[in-house]
Amino acid sequence: MVFRRGDEVEVSSKEDGFVGSYFPAKIISELMKKEYIVQYKTLLREDMSGPLREIVAADEVRPVPPEFPANGFSLCDEVDVYANDGWWAGKVTGKVGGKYFVYFETTGDEIAYPLSNLRVHQEYVNSKWVSSSFKNRALR
């Protein structure tokens, strides 16, 4: 997929500790080597003077996934959690009160989050969004 200046996207990270995460950004320009200059919406420069801009490979950029309304999740549902300025993939392992426990395979952590921080996990495959095995039934 080719992105144009101003397109809203998500950028994956291949750095240790960040694998499996996506950060909201906007395309600033397209470079000739299948790369883009992006400006992150939530990440700042080291000196905190403004939004971080960087050059990223085209295979690290995807469109923003479509919204998939969810009023709850079930055990083992794949979700994305908004935390630490980006979206992180995990699996629901339980629910206590209004919080869902999510396990992150890449870190081995299990952390509780409110429903407002969760979205249905989707993969961008062959220029199409494919939702996870979301069952659309809430834990009780």
Side-chain angles (χ1 to χ4, degrees):
M1 173 172 216
V2 176
F3 297 101
R4 302 281 179 234
R5 179 183 177 96
D7 285 350
E8 303 288 326
V9 296
E10 291 184 347
V11 180
S12 67
S13 178
K14 295 179 180 175
E15 291 184 37
D16 285 341
F18 293 92
V19 173
S21 62
Y22 282 86
F23 295 88
K26 180 173 30 172
I27 299 293
I28 299 302
S29 65
E30 181 181 3
L31 302 177
M32 294 179 59
K33 304 178 214 170
K34 295 190 178 189
E35 295 178 321
Y36 294 98
I37 297 175
V38 299
Q39 179 173 301
Y40 292 96
K41 291 183 171 186
T42 56
L43 301 179
L44 298 175
R45 296 179 190 154
E46 284 186 31
D47 66 2
M48 309 296 243
S49 64
L52 175 64
R53 284 188 179 192
E54 69 178 1
I55 297 171
V56 296
D59 67 350
E60 295 175 19
V61 180
R62 70 181 190 183
V64 175
E67 288 189 33
F68 198 113
N71 58 6
F73 294 95
S74 296
L75 285 175
C76 299
D77 277 346
E78 293 179 32
V79 295
D80 293 335
V81 175
Y82 189 79
N84 300 320
D85 301 319
W87 291 98
W88 302 76
K91 283 193 178 183
V92 173
T93 56
K95 181 183 178 197
V96 174
K99 294 198 174 190
Y100 289 87
F101 284 84
V102 179
Y103 175 75
F104 302 96
E105 190 173 315
T106 56
T107 63
D109 293 330
E110 182 181 40
I111 304 171
Y113 297 94
L115 179 61
S116 61
N117 285 47
L118 305 179
R119 71 181 183 190
V120 174
H121 179 73
Q122 299 175 72
E123 294 287 338
Y124 195 64
V125 181
N126 298 324
S127 299
K128 292 182 182 174
W129 284 104
V130 179
S131 68
S132 66
S133 56
F134 177 65
K135 299 169 188 69
N136 200 19
R137 55 179 200 257
L139 284 176
R140 298 182 199 272

